Amino acid sequence: MSNAAPLLSVLMLARGNEPRLAESLNAAAEWAGEIVLGLLDGGPLPKGAPAGIRTVPLSWHEDFSLARNELAEQARGSFLLWLEPGETLSDEHAAELKTWIAENDGLAIAASLLIRRPAEPGAPCGEQVRRIRLLPAEPKLKFHGRVREQLERSPRENSVRVEPLPLVVRRGPEEIDAVRIRVRGQRNVRLAGIELKESGRHARLFNCLGEAFLALGDHTAGGDFFRQALAIAPAGSADRLEAYYGALTTLPEDPRCERQAALCLEALEQFPCDLQLLCAMGAFLAAQGRKNLATRTYQTAVRCGRVEENAWHLAELPLLARLGYSTALEHEGRGHEAISELLAAPPEERDAEPLRRRLVELHLRTGDTEAAVGHLEAAIGGKVDREALRSAVRGAALAEKGEFTPARVYLEAAYSAGCRDRLCLRWRALVRMKQNDAGALEALAEWKLVEPTSAEADRYLRIAAGIASPAPVAEAA
């Protein structure tokens, strides 16, 4: 850390036993002017923490705002950046942050950053939300609320402009740890309950309680609180949108998604361009077999959808919308249009691995194996011999058509040549299953190692182990 007068103070509240606290502190020490660590209830400094950080013992009064406001008074920087234990910035984003601070030093300006958490098992990607995390050292800027504390009110009241920055604060795997999620849920139920008694009904608190009860596995109570949030949240607000998101997750599972579709339609009447709602509606319509409506909904999502960054949302929504649109087109027998739609994606989407792999699938089904090989090679960065990839793709194409014997020849040749891409492992395992091969279970387990979050791999492992009913291999496509 620099010995000069600090320009940027990183502030963090923690107990000494927080997972990855030392990692966050060491990462911030590379670029922060100073680090001020508020140790709640005087907890110990974690092992491995960098030298030179300032620690401030704080008493915990069941109030995050109180603790943050007290800690902010100890900072000496001209800008204050709030981080949580386990959060880090990439070196590139840290450098951009320092440049921004140098350019705006002395100005009454705050900044919001994207907070991103990792994907939960089976999820297509992680989630993110935009929050004000960077503040000028202005004593009048205060946090409000015991839990889900906010700054949105204070900047407006004190003539401080808020600028959104395209910088990402990443959270670690502990964010989706089941035990920590439950502990956090119990804490938030307690704090939100105290604040409700003190300040009365508020959508922010009802959403907090809805999320907390979901974390505790009580979907009924969670749904009740999200509905209470819907009843009082201002029209068009992020609180109202979050309540719709939450309420959708509390509805009982239904193969046809009737109740989900009805609630999503109600939400879309108020937020007609919300990208996450449009993607959800497209999926619900597809589940009902309403192919044309699903395609049109996904098309609207791609063409007109907008992301509400102030509510938690899937981090790769634009890409997921385009992938959903391509699937809907294919289900209508419009595979070549699906390919064209993917190829028309902007570069940041077109070069993403999920889109490349989707193109591989589509080209396999249209019989263009050379194009499939090219996209697969681009997806994995040329890490596998091209001839081995070609064999894997040819085997997959034959298996798609039900020609399992020649398919196996190509897939085994690719495997013997060292190809361990998931396309090869998936089809090799499925072909072995179709042929009742004794090695099918081992092949499925190897596929599962490469794709640990694959629900499809889990399903076929259960089938191979005799604990689920067989299904046509074609469904796996």
Side-chain angles (χ1 to χ4, degrees):
M1 265 181 288
S2 170
N3 293 322
L7 182 65
L8 171 64
S9 296
V10 169
L11 280 66
M12 197 178 301
L13 289 174
R15 290 182 168 84
N17 61 351
E18 297 274 5
R20 295 181 68 244
L21 173 56
E23 181 179 337
S24 289
L25 294 171
N26 279 289
E30 296 294 324
W31 43 266
E34 71 166 356
I35 298 175
V36 187
L37 177 63
L39 288 170
L40 299 173
D41 288 334
L45 189 66
K47 293 180 180 179
I53 67 174
R54 289 202 293 125
T55 60
V56 178
L58 298 172
S59 297
W60 175 238
H61 298 289
E62 304 275 53
D63 190 327
F64 277 107
S65 287
L66 185 65
R68 292 192 190 281
N69 293 334
E70 184 178 345
L71 187 62
E73 294 174 359
Q74 307 298 318
R76 297 191 291 252
S78 54
F79 278 95
L80 315 180
L81 175 67
W82 285 95
L83 293 180
E84 301 293 330
E87 291 184 343
T88 57
L89 276 76
S90 68
D91 291 343
E92 178 184 358
H93 283 186
E96 292 179 27
L97 178 64
K98 291 177 68 175
T99 299
W100 185 90
I101 288 171
E103 293 173 348
N104 292 280
D105 191 19
L107 300 180
I109 183 171
S112 61
L113 282 64
L114 287 168
I115 316 301
R116 186 172 298 169
R117 57 192 179 200
E120 296 183 1
C125 61
E127 293 184 316
Q128 65 185 21
V129 70
R130 182 169 289 283
R131 290 287 185 260
I132 299 173
R133 287 293 193 91
L134 185 62
L135 303 168
E138 169 53 66
K140 293 181 180 179
L141 293 178
K142 300 291 186 181
F143 285 92
H144 303 269
R146 287 181 177 269
V147 64
R148 283 205 179 186
E149 58 279 17
Q150 295 181 329
L151 267 167
E152 284 81 352
R153 187 170 47 177
S154 288
R156 288 196 300 269
E157 291 174 352
N158 292 281
S159 302
V160 174
R161 181 166 61 89
V162 178
E163 179 177 329
L165 298 183
L167 307 182
V168 177
V169 176
R170 294 188 179 275
R171 292 182 173 175
E174 71 283 348
E175 175 72 8
I176 57 173
D177 176 76
V179 174
R180 286 182 57 79
I181 289 173
R182 186 171 185 83
V183 169
R184 187 165 60 235
Q186 292 170 335
R187 180 202 69 196
N188 288 352
V189 167
R190 184 176 69 254
L191 298 185
I194 295 172
E195 190 174 342
L196 276 172
K197 291 179 181 178
E198 293 173 339
S199 60
R201 293 158 55 85
H202 194 287
R204 169 179 61 87
L205 295 173
F206 286 139
N207 280 332
C208 178
L209 286 164
E211 181 183 50
F213 277 103
L214 276 183
L216 297 173
D218 191 339
H219 284 222
T220 300
D224 288 342
F225 281 113
F226 284 127
R227 283 189 288 276
Q228 290 186 66
L230 283 173
I232 62 173
S237 67
D239 280 335
R240 191 171 188 84
L241 182 59
E242 181 184 353
Y244 274 120
Y245 288 168
L248 284 167
T249 66
T250 66
L251 295 176
E253 290 188 12
D254 169 16
R256 286 188 54 79
C257 304
E258 299 285 358
R259 292 178 62 185
Q260 286 86 346
L263 182 59
C264 197
L265 182 60
E266 176 188 318
L268 281 167
E269 289 173 352
Q270 300 175 50
F271 301 93
C273 294
D274 183 75
L275 185 54
Q276 187 152 272
L277 289 175
L278 286 167
C279 286
M281 194 66 185
F284 298 149
L285 291 168
Q288 295 173 5
R290 303 167 75 178
K291 296 180 180 179
N292 182 260
L293 279 176
T295 301
R296 288 162 56 190
T297 301
Y298 276 119
Q299 183 184 48
T300 301
V302 171
R303 303 287 189 262
C304 309
R306 295 196 299 268
V307 177
E308 174 49 71
E309 291 191 327
N310 294 316
W312 280 102
H313 59 277
L314 292 168
E316 299 176 11
L317 268 177
L319 173 61
L320 294 174
R322 198 173 295 274
L323 292 173
Y325 185 28
S326 77
T327 300
L329 286 169
E330 186 187 19
H331 287 170
E332 285 199 88
R334 300 158 65 184
H336 289 287
E337 288 182 57
I339 291 172
S340 297
E341 180 61 36
L342 295 180
L343 292 174
E348 64 272 15
E349 292 179 24
R350 189 172 61 247
D351 294 334
E353 182 177 352
L355 191 144
R356 291 284 188 179
R357 287 190 177 275
R358 177 74 182 122
L359 281 167
V360 171
E361 293 175 4
L362 289 166
H363 282 301
L364 283 176
R365 291 167 195 161
T366 57
D368 192 343
T369 56
E370 284 304 307
V373 169
H375 287 297
L376 184 57
E377 194 171 36
I380 62 180
K383 298 174 184 176
V384 179
D385 178 75
R386 187 175 178 84
E387 285 306 312
L389 282 183
R390 184 174 281 109
S391 292
V393 169
R394 285 176 176 171
L398 288 166
E400 283 271 14
K401 295 188 291 185
E403 299 176 23
F404 299 112
T405 299
R408 181 165 178 174
V409 173
Y410 281 111
L411 291 165
E412 294 296 345
Y415 185 86
S416 298
C419 182
R420 296 297 185 272
D421 182 76
R422 67 181 193 238
L423 177 135
C424 178
L425 295 180
R426 172 179 180 265
W427 280 109
R428 179 173 175 265
L430 295 180
V431 167
R432 286 189 169 214
M433 277 194 67
K434 187 65 177 179
Q435 295 183 326
N436 297 315
D437 187 277
L441 190 58
E442 181 182 348
L444 285 165
E446 188 172 5
W447 169 27
K448 175 66 175 175
L449 283 174
V450 173
E451 251 189 308
T453 62
S454 171
E456 183 190 18
D458 285 335
R459 176 187 174 197
Y460 281 98
L461 276 166
R462 292 194 299 271
I463 293 171
I467 58 176
S469 301
V473 169
E475 288 187 12

